[in-house]
Amino acid sequence: MKFLGAVALFVFILVLQNRHGNCQRPNVVNVGAVFSFDSVIGRAAKTAMELAVSDINGDPSILNGIKLNLVMADSDCSVFKGSIEALQVIEKQVVALIGPQSSAIAHMISFIANGLQVPLISYAATDPTLSSLQFPFFLRTTQSDWYQMAAVADIVSFYEWKEVIAIFLDDDYGRNGIAALTDALAKKMSKISYKLPLPINYNLSDMIYVLNQSKSLGPRVFVVHINPDSQLRFFDAVEKLKMTGSDYVWLMTDWFSTTLDSFPPKNESYLSTLEGVVGLRPYIPQTIQKRAFLSRWRKLQQNELVHSGLTTYGLYAYDTVWIVARSIDNLLQQAGGNISFSLSSMLNGTTSDKLQLGKLKVFDSGELLMNILSQTNFTGLTGKIHFTPDRNLIGSGYEIINIVQQEIHTVGYWSNFSGLSISPPKAVKNKETAVTRINQNLKIVTWPGGKSEKPRGWVIANDDRPLRIGFPRRASFTDFVTLNNDSHQVLGYCIDLFYAARKLVPYDVPFRFEPFGTGLANPSYDELVTMVADDVFDAVVGDIAIVTNRTRIVDFTQPYVSTGLVIVAPIDNSESSAWVFLKPFTPEMWGVTALSFLIIAVVIWILEHRVNDDFRGPPKRQIITMFLFSFSTLFKTNQENTVSTLGRMVMVVWLFLLLVITSSYTASLTSILTVQQLSSPITGIESLITSSSFIGYQVGSFAYSYLRDNLNISPSRLISLRSPEEFESALRRGSGNGGVMAIVDELPYVELFLQNRTDFGIIGRPFTKSGWGFAFQKDSPLATDMSTAILKLAENGKLQEIHKKWFCQLGCPADRRKDSEPNQLHLSSFWALYLLSGAVTLLALVVFLFRTIRQYIRYKRKQADPSSPSNTRCSQVIYSFFDFIDEKEEAIKRIFAHDTSQPQTNGA
């Protein structure tokens, strides 16, 4: 029996398919339309679609005499009712379904459209996710929120706002639109700091509740993404809460412009509460067709046939009907005039009182019609209409409007290929082009409060919720920051600096100080910084070191103190090296000085040998005299005198050089003999790491984690110390007696510790580089403004004044460091003197040689024998020249004098 029943059912289905498959050319084509009749969009869309049907049926060039029948159903803004109405409309064998304007209803109907292969064309559902592959039968004839949110993000970026608050409808339309905004803002290095959802059927109390939540938050840039509201109740709530001041920025998505367009003309009293609001409106070029249709609409309004303004979505609805009609006409031509349906096996036999699901049929040509629809390319009221591969309308962009003195002003335009501009977008491009938007521009915008200056876009705090500023309640080194137990005032160097910087911030910052720690021991600074990241504090003021692990979770200001970790250890003056007298000069300095003595010895001997008997005699005596004379000039005990002019000139410069060098040597040696010499074997961080001695650190300092994690020093070697008194006690006891060999701490603490303690000193130089700054929550704009204020304090000298006030009453602490050789004199300090002495010496030597060579040539001419051969060996000339030099100057002069005194005779 079951087999016979199945066969009968199969035969019945074949008959029905054959019957429908061979249907004749229809006289009427049904197209469904499901939308909310009594809504801002629906009222204009209903009239626009009826006008479109009338125009199509009156145009013989379209559908070739077939009547287009629009089957309308009211969804009443309900997903459930909209779905039921859609099924009832589809029962009437519609070939396409127009609407709905609600993205949430469009999601539900898209599943039905998928199953029955009926194209769903929406003129108002802007949810970007409707274009996903999940809904292949969905087509959008309006611009997706993906483009709209990109426009909003560009506006936020143009005005350099970094944080916004999103107020949205908590449904598919609202959530997915804000998700698109999140992505768009991320590309502009901005973000949505807070998301405040509204229920679908919100009322005034719901809006007041949400807006009240936002008043305690920092950002003041609001992006509102809700449904069009003919009463503009949202702004009633804004005005009631007095959120219309100059601190606020209200950015509205296109629901706002749609609402404004729906109002009757010459009724602008509703704009009185909207001063300074900025909104987006889909940009539709002014064409002849659009102007004609608008004139036609106004006549209908005058005859009271239309009770709504012509919204942008009304134009989209009109064009949508035309798109569907043209596509059906194309389909009929391709299908030979036949449109066929087949029974849906999934719903066969299912009935209800009002809805007979068994009558639902699959549209056999639905896929073909969908392809034709997606390839649409014609010009309508809204401009040129064609679609992207993901079935989105390629829109022409958005118009940016601003409400000023109860008038709507256009302040610019946005398109995905040109960005922000004061000129309308050019011809729509078929695909996006990546353009660097350098010349972004908008006209002057009037903001809430009537001001044209760009709002800051955020407030740090107000009197109701002041800024929560934490500070470390220190037990030691309280000069930096402390809480006075008697007056309960927060005092210290860091606090004074914070007050001075706050005065330079160009706006008021209400705040209250909140202590962290008991005051009995220094608190953990890592925990204190973490409390900023965890929103326990808005900021932390104090001696907070800027280190890597902290910068990952908070933002720091510009450093106001340069610091780093240093080593402090005991020092002693008693020990001294046996070779300490060599330390004033570097090896290079010693070498050049010794060489200079040798050069001076040789040069003076050369200059004095011919004229000074003190520099003559046997060779051994001359060598001794030469070097003893040179070195005795250091002590001014030389017995020999310089006779020649050139020799005296060289000695003047040489003695001046010796005077400077000996004075510097004496000063440097005195400093070395009196400077504190280390008694600790620690010479630097490397020797401290390799030793097995105990190392001290201050409680709460990052020194512990640095020594443990970065230098891999065993925690068992690290001893925590709480106060300067414990520092001193531990250093005096030493590592073997329950103390420490050295302490590692930040430079400012060590300087303060050493101010009145001469038995300790700093070894080497800081082995880390860091600074102190104030910590703020991530992306806090106050961090930037405080950084600017700190830089101004540094430039005007106020920073140094505050430092002197706290730490220089008895003189600023000086570094006590054991450098490699801190008082050594380098050659670079005296190179000019050495150069001068060398130049004078060389000049004297050149002058001497020139004069001597001239005398030698004259001498040889006098001694020349005409009968002797003229060619003489070079070696003989050199030996003869040296013999000439060895002669005394007086003897040579006598020879010249004797030759000139003999009478001259003439030959016969």
Side-chain angles (χ1 to χ4, degrees):
M1 295 296 293
K2 292 182 179 180
F3 176 76
L4 293 175
V7 170
L9 179 61
F10 179 74
V11 172
F12 177 73
I13 292 174
L14 286 177
V15 170
L16 287 176
Q17 286 181 335
N18 184 61
R19 176 184 173 187
H20 289 288
N22 296 300
C23 61
Q24 299 298 320
R25 178 179 175 85
N27 295 322
V28 176
V29 176
N30 292 329
V31 174
V34 179
F35 59 98
S36 300
F37 292 175
D38 189 20
S39 65
V40 172
I41 295 177
R43 285 191 290 269
K46 185 175 184 296
T47 303
M49 286 190 289
E50 289 173 346
L51 290 174
V53 171
S54 175
D55 292 344
I56 291 168
N57 289 332
D59 188 348
S61 65
I62 197 82
L63 291 177
N64 196 19
I66 299 175
K67 181 181 179 182
L68 180 67
N69 181 37
L70 191 64
V71 182
M72 296 186 181
D74 187 3
S75 64
D76 199 21
C77 296
S78 168
V79 176
F80 176 75
K81 185 176 179 182
S83 302
I84 298 298
E85 293 293 341
L87 289 171
Q88 289 180 340
V89 169
I90 293 174
E91 274 185 350
K92 299 176 182 178
Q93 296 187 5
V94 296
V95 297
L97 197 60
I98 296 176
Q101 73 256 27
S102 167
S103 295
I105 301 175
H107 270 278
M108 180 61 70
I109 299 180
S110 290
F111 288 106
I112 300 173
N114 287 351
L116 299 176
Q117 297 185 14
V118 176
L120 175 63
I121 306 99
S122 178
Y123 54 84
T126 57
D127 179 1
T129 63
L130 286 168
S131 299
S132 65
L133 298 176
Q134 185 181 14
F135 306 117
F137 284 88
F138 178 83
L139 185 75
R140 193 195 324 266
T141 59
T142 185
Q143 300 186 69
S144 168
D145 276 341
W146 189 89
Y147 295 101
Q148 179 170 213
M149 295 310 173
V152 173
D154 271 359
I155 295 173
V156 172
S157 176
F158 177 77
Y159 290 108
E160 299 179 340
W161 297 314
K162 295 301 180 184
E163 299 181 61
V164 304
I165 295 176
I167 298 177
F168 59 97
L169 205 62
D170 196 9
D171 64 355
D172 292 330
Y173 157 75
R175 288 190 299 268
N176 295 329
I178 294 304
L181 177 60
T182 301
D183 295 340
L185 287 174
K187 295 177 182 178
K188 304 295 181 181
M189 304 302 290
S190 301
K191 67 176 183 178
I192 299 176
S193 298
Y194 304 95
K195 297 179 180 180
L196 305 178
L198 281 169
I200 297 174
N201 298 314
Y202 59 87
N203 53 34
L204 185 61
S205 62
D206 294 325
M207 290 183 288
I208 290 176
Y209 172 76
V210 166
L211 290 173
N212 261 327
Q213 284 182 293
S214 70
K215 293 182 73 173
S216 62
L217 307 176
R220 284 293 180 265
V221 179
F222 292 85
V223 177
V224 184
H225 187 55
I226 58 178
N227 283 334
D229 179 9
S230 59
Q231 298 177 357
L232 290 174
R233 293 170 297 167
F234 182 83
F235 293 99
D236 292 339
V238 169
E239 188 176 27
K240 202 175 280 287
L241 294 176
K242 301 183 187 304
M243 297 175 69
T244 57
S246 58
D247 289 336
Y248 289 89
V249 176
W250 296 102
L251 299 179
M252 305 292 156
T253 56
D254 61 359
W255 70 270
F256 177 66
S257 61
T258 300
T259 302
L260 298 184
D261 291 342
S262 69
F263 290 140
K266 299 181 181 180
N267 182 15
E268 297 177 344
S269 59
Y270 58 87
L271 297 175
S272 59
T273 60
L274 307 180
E275 183 74 15
V277 174
V278 174
L280 292 178
R281 171 190 284 159
Y283 173 68
I284 297 177
Q286 292 292 337
T287 61
I288 297 175
Q289 297 94 321
K290 179 184 174 182
R291 285 193 289 268
F293 188 81
L294 185 58
S295 175
R296 182 179 175 188
W297 191 276
R298 287 170 181 164
K299 289 180 181 179
L300 293 174
Q301 283 181 319
Q302 291 173 359
N303 296 329
E304 296 186 355
L305 298 176
V306 176
H307 302 284
S308 172
L310 178 59
T311 66
T312 302
Y313 290 107
L315 296 173
Y316 283 134
Y318 182 89
D319 281 349
T320 300
V321 177
W322 271 96
I323 292 170
V324 172
R326 286 175 175 272
S327 299
I328 293 173
D329 188 41
N330 196 341
L331 173 66
L332 289 171
Q333 294 176 19
Q334 294 186 31
N338 294 328
I339 297 179
S340 62
F341 293 85
S342 61
L343 285 176
S344 172
S345 59
M346 293 181 295
L347 302 174
N348 187 27
T350 306
T351 61
S352 65
D353 292 339
K354 291 186 178 181
L355 181 62
Q356 297 183 358
L357 299 180
K359 293 183 178 180
L360 293 176
K361 298 177 181 180
V362 174
F363 182 27
D364 294 334
S365 303
E367 188 171 351
L368 177 59
L369 178 59
M370 189 64 199
N371 290 333
I372 295 172
L373 284 165
S374 61
Q375 294 173 11
T376 298
N377 189 356
F378 87 104
T379 302
L381 296 181
T382 57
K384 194 171 181 62
I385 300 173
H386 52 166
F387 301 96
T388 63
D390 58 355
R391 307 174 309 283
N392 276 318
L393 177 70
I394 299 179
S396 56
Y398 286 89
E399 181 183 357
I400 303 168
I401 61 174
N402 180 214
I403 309 302
V404 183
Q405 296 180 352
Q406 299 187 32
E407 292 183 358
I408 301 174
H409 292 263
T410 298
V411 294
Y413 302 88
W414 179 93
S415 67
N416 62 330
F417 55 85
S418 64
L420 298 174
S421 173
I422 59 175
S423 301
K426 297 180 180 178
V428 178
K429 297 186 179 181
N430 290 331
K431 68 174 185 177
E432 291 184 44
T433 55
V435 178
T436 303
R437 298 179 176 124
I438 300 174
N439 300 320
Q440 303 292 277
N441 196 14
L442 289 176
K443 295 179 182 178
I444 296 176
V445 173
T446 299
W447 302 101
K451 294 184 177 180
S452 59
E453 296 85 3
K454 181 195 77 172
R456 193 167 63 244
W458 51 268
V459 293
I460 289 298
N462 51 43
D463 294 333
D464 296 331
R465 184 192 175 278
L467 205 67
R468 301 160 299 172
I469 298 183
F471 69 92
R473 192 174 182 184
R474 296 189 58 88
S476 61
F477 297 106
T478 55
D479 288 337
F480 293 106
V481 58
T482 187
L483 177 64
N484 189 305
N485 293 325
D486 296 330
S487 63
H488 300 288
Q489 288 185 330
V490 186
L491 306 172
Y493 164 69
C494 300
I495 302 302
D496 280 5
L497 196 146
F498 170 77
Y499 279 120
R502 177 175 167 267
K503 290 179 181 178
L504 297 179
V505 174
Y507 47 85
D508 185 39
V509 184
F511 70 93
R512 67 170 183 269
F513 280 123
E514 295 183 6
F516 176 70
T518 61
L520 303 177
N522 293 337
S524 169
Y525 279 46
D526 284 336
E527 292 182 14
L528 179 57
V529 172
T530 302
M531 293 178 75
V532 177
D534 293 341
D535 199 31
V536 178
F537 296 132
D538 296 304
V540 168
V541 171
D543 45 340
I544 314 296
I546 304 172
V547 292
T548 304
N549 63 320
R550 295 174 183 172
T551 57
R552 294 191 183 104
I553 58 176
V554 297
D555 283 345
F556 282 95
T557 62
Q558 175 79 16
Y560 58 85
V561 168
S562 295
T563 181
L565 293 177
V566 295
I567 302 171
V568 60
I571 56 175
D572 190 2
N573 293 323
S574 60
E575 297 183 3
S576 181
S577 171
W579 299 93
V580 68
F581 66 90
L582 295 176
K583 290 184 178 181
F585 288 168
T586 61
E588 294 82 4
M589 184 69 179
W590 279 118
V592 172
T593 303
L595 181 63
S596 298
F597 276 103
L598 295 178
I599 293 174
I600 290 298
V602 173
V603 171
I604 293 297
W605 178 82
I606 292 174
L607 297 177
E608 295 291 322
H609 177 71
R610 300 184 67 203
V611 297
N612 194 337
D613 291 334
D614 292 336
F615 291 88
R616 299 185 67 83
K620 182 178 179 180
R621 179 176 177 272
Q622 291 186 53
I623 292 173
I624 294 173
T625 300
M626 179 172 61
F627 288 108
L628 284 179
F629 174 84
S630 176
F631 286 103
S632 63
T633 57
L634 184 64
F635 310 105
K636 301 178 179 62
T637 59
N638 46 304
Q639 297 179 354
E640 298 81 6
N641 293 321
T642 53
V643 175
S644 67
T645 302
L646 294 176
R648 290 176 178 177
M649 182 178 67
V650 171
M651 285 301 299
V652 168
V653 179
W654 171 247
L655 290 175
F656 176 75
L657 174 64
L658 281 183
L659 176 65
V660 175
I661 290 177
T662 53
S663 300
S664 303
Y665 175 88
T666 303
S668 180
L669 182 60
T670 303
S671 175
I672 290 174
L673 292 174
T674 57
V675 77
Q676 298 166 325
Q677 302 298 317
L678 290 175
S679 61
S680 171
I682 300 299
T683 59
I685 187 61
E686 295 298 332
S687 60
L688 186 63
I689 294 173
T690 56
S691 72
S692 58
S693 304
F694 291 107
I695 305 170
Y697 69 91
Q698 185 184 172
V699 172
S701 171
F702 79 96
Y704 174 78
S705 59
Y706 185 86
L707 294 172
R708 181 195 62 192
D709 300 334
N710 295 69
L711 302 183
N712 298 318
I713 297 176
S714 172
S716 60
R717 291 178 55 197
L718 303 177
I719 306 299
S720 62
L721 303 171
R722 294 180 296 177
S723 65
E725 291 72 25
E726 289 192 11
F727 279 23
E728 183 176 0
S729 176
L731 288 172
R732 292 192 186 281
R733 290 198 305 271
S735 182
N737 299 312
V740 297
M741 176 173 287
I743 292 174
V744 174
D745 205 354
E746 294 180 76
L747 183 60
Y749 301 124
V750 172
E751 286 182 335
L752 200 58
F753 169 72
L754 295 177
Q755 193 168 20
N756 298 317
R757 294 174 175 86
T758 58
D759 296 336
F760 310 99
I762 297 174
I763 300 176
R765 297 189 177 276
F767 56 89
T768 66
K769 294 292 184 182
S770 61
W772 286 354
F774 303 142
F776 291 85
Q777 293 182 1
K778 272 289 184 184
D779 300 321
S780 171
L782 184 56
T784 303
D785 291 341
M786 287 294 287
S787 293
T788 304
I790 290 172
L791 288 174
K792 290 180 181 178
L793 291 176
E795 292 170 358
N796 62 25
K798 186 66 176 178
L799 199 64
Q800 188 61 26
E801 289 180 14
I802 298 173
H803 184 269
K804 288 181 179 179
K805 169 189 172 183
W806 282 95
F807 304 117
C808 297
Q809 294 94 339
L810 303 175
C812 292
D815 293 348
R816 298 178 176 88
R817 300 175 184 169
K818 188 235 178 194
D819 297 325
S820 57
E821 292 297 342
N823 298 297
Q824 281 191 326
L825 299 174
H826 296 266
L827 180 62
S828 59
S829 302
F830 302 96
W831 70 268
L833 279 177
Y834 277 108
L835 181 63
L836 175 64
S837 178
V840 172
T841 302
L842 180 63
L843 177 64
L845 190 60
V846 169
V847 171
F848 171 80
L849 290 175
F850 177 80
R851 190 183 67 176
T852 304
I853 291 171
R854 185 169 175 270
Q855 286 181 346
Y856 175 71
I857 293 172
R858 181 183 175 190
Y859 170 76
K860 293 301 290 182
R861 286 177 179 173
K862 296 294 183 183
Q863 299 294 326
D865 186 358
S867 61
S868 60
S870 60
N871 56 341
T872 306
R873 293 181 179 180
C874 181
S875 59
Q876 291 178 346
V877 174
I878 293 174
Y879 288 135
S880 175
F881 177 73
F882 279 108
D883 290 339
F884 178 78
I885 291 178
D886 192 56
E887 292 291 334
K888 291 192 66 174
E889 180 86 9
E890 291 184 24
I892 300 300
K893 288 181 178 180
R894 280 197 300 270
I895 292 174
F896 290 153
H898 176 72
D899 291 340
T900 56
S901 64
Q902 290 182 354
Q904 301 291 327
T905 59
N906 296 323

